[in-house]
Amino acid sequence: MRKKIIAGNWKMNKTLSEGLSLASEVVNIANDEVPADVSVVLCTPAIHLAQVSAIVKDSETVSLGAQNVSEHESGAYTGDISADMVKSVGASFVIIGHSERREYHFETNAQLAARVKLALDKGLTPIFCCGESLETREAGEHVDFVNNQLKESLFDLSAEEMSKVVIAYEPIWAIGTGITASSDQAQEMHKSIRTSLAGNFGAEVADGISILYGGSMKPDNAQELLAQPDVDGGLIGGASLKSRDFIAIAKSY
Ligand code: PEP
């Protein structure tokens, strides 16, 4: 059975005290209300990780993730964060290749491949983001575009390594826009991602990989998206900043 994962991406929001309050609220509500087969992940700003780690450490439901990691082990990379550092504060997940980082920081598929590999080597679970722009979708090239992202960043992994990766399909036109992919559009792409993974790594590996949907997921649309057979959870931006909305999504399963 695939893991069901609801991950919150706080992006560059919340001061430390606001973040600690939000994390405490999420942990308290999640421990009582989220079904045991759903894992909740908080991907906080890097500067909050160590202190949020203390809040989530005794929770069986909630774990911690970073929003990015360097492809370098250590050294003269001012402002960057290494996989060892992320691991050392108690985080177990890391988002890699979010479209905002691809766009504003010019992250390439090759660079992301190196980050995924290093994160895995260090025992972190990458949440690898992929997804097309509106222009690409309207040109009918969305499936090929996403397949190419997977190919260039993931297909050199071994099957064992790949089985430890979580994928988040996030159509760029749906992120932070209030426009959600329809459940049919999400299912079509998730199925195509799984087929592509099966072609490269085998059906058994592909069937075990959690593929999350991201893009304006909210309590009122989560249930329909999460009901799709190939949608195994969500990566939530805006709605993860309110504990009740975030947990309501996790309870939608
Ligand atoms: C995201 O940034 O990963 C995201 C899905 O954002 P939002 O939910 O706000 O669209």
Side-chain angles (χ1 to χ4, degrees):
M1 232 202 9
R2 291 193 286 273
K3 275 193 206 126
K4 298 174 177 175
I5 300 170
I6 298 293
N9 174 13
W10 292 2
K11 311 193 186 191
M12 197 177 74
N13 290 297
K14 304 287 176 190
T15 63
L16 180 61
S17 64
E18 289 166 350
L20 296 179
S21 303
L22 175 59
S24 299
E25 283 168 29
V26 169
V27 168
N28 288 338
I29 312 173
N31 286 347
D32 290 343
E33 298 184 18
V34 173
D37 61 342
V38 178
S39 299
V40 172
V41 184
L42 298 180
C43 298
T44 77
I47 201 163
H48 300 0
L49 285 170
Q51 281 176 265
V52 175
S53 180
I55 294 170
V56 305
K57 78 174 186 328
D58 294 325
S59 173
E60 303 222 328
T61 310
V62 186
S63 18
L64 187 63
Q67 297 176 11
N68 184 36
V69 74
S70 171
E71 66 270 33
H72 303 289
E73 286 248 4
S74 63
Y77 301 100
T78 302
D80 284 351
I81 294 154
S82 76
D84 278 331
M85 292 173 192
V86 171
K87 187 86 182 154
S88 73
V89 294
S92 43
F93 289 82
V94 59
I95 296 172
I96 294 180
H98 192 282
S99 59
E100 287 152 13
R101 294 211 55 92
R102 290 177 189 259
E103 182 180 350
Y104 308 136
H105 300 271
F106 312 107
E107 295 180 353
T108 64
N109 288 341
Q111 204 175 18
L112 301 175
R115 291 182 191 185
V116 169
K117 176 81 176 102
L118 189 56
L120 287 166
D121 288 349
K122 300 296 183 180
L124 294 168
T125 300
I127 302 176
F128 177 78
C129 299
C130 55
E132 80 288 353
S133 66
L134 188 57
E135 202 183 8
T136 302
R137 177 165 280 266
E138 285 178 346
E141 290 163 3
H142 48 294
V143 169
D144 286 348
F145 181 85
V146 168
N147 275 341
N148 191 55
Q149 289 181 317
L150 302 177
K151 181 170 159 254
E152 293 193 356
S153 295
L154 301 178
F155 281 9
D156 285 340
L157 296 172
S158 68
E160 197 196 335
E161 287 169 334
M162 187 63 221
S163 66
K164 296 178 183 148
V165 175
V166 171
I167 291 181
Y169 167 58
E170 299 207 304
I172 298 168
W173 45 274
I175 296 179
T177 57
I179 302 166
T180 315
S182 69
S183 49
D184 286 349
Q185 287 172 321
Q187 171 58 23
E188 179 206 35
M189 185 61 91
H190 282 228
K191 187 155 190 257
S192 144
I193 291 172
R194 204 176 302 287
T195 303
S196 174
L197 294 172
N200 202 64
F201 297 101
E204 203 181 319
V205 171
D207 282 345
I209 291 176
S210 299
I211 306 177
L212 318 184
Y213 168 79
S216 299
M217 197 188 260
K218 297 190 178 69
D220 61 2
N221 59 28
Q223 195 163 20
E224 194 184 333
L225 288 159
L226 295 171
Q228 300 308 307
D230 287 289
V231 177
D232 308 307
L235 180 56
I236 327 292
S240 72
L241 300 174
K242 291 191 182 142
S243 54
R244 272 288 161 201
D245 285 357
F246 185 51
I247 296 298
I249 294 171
K251 287 167 70 180
S252 300
Y253 265 119

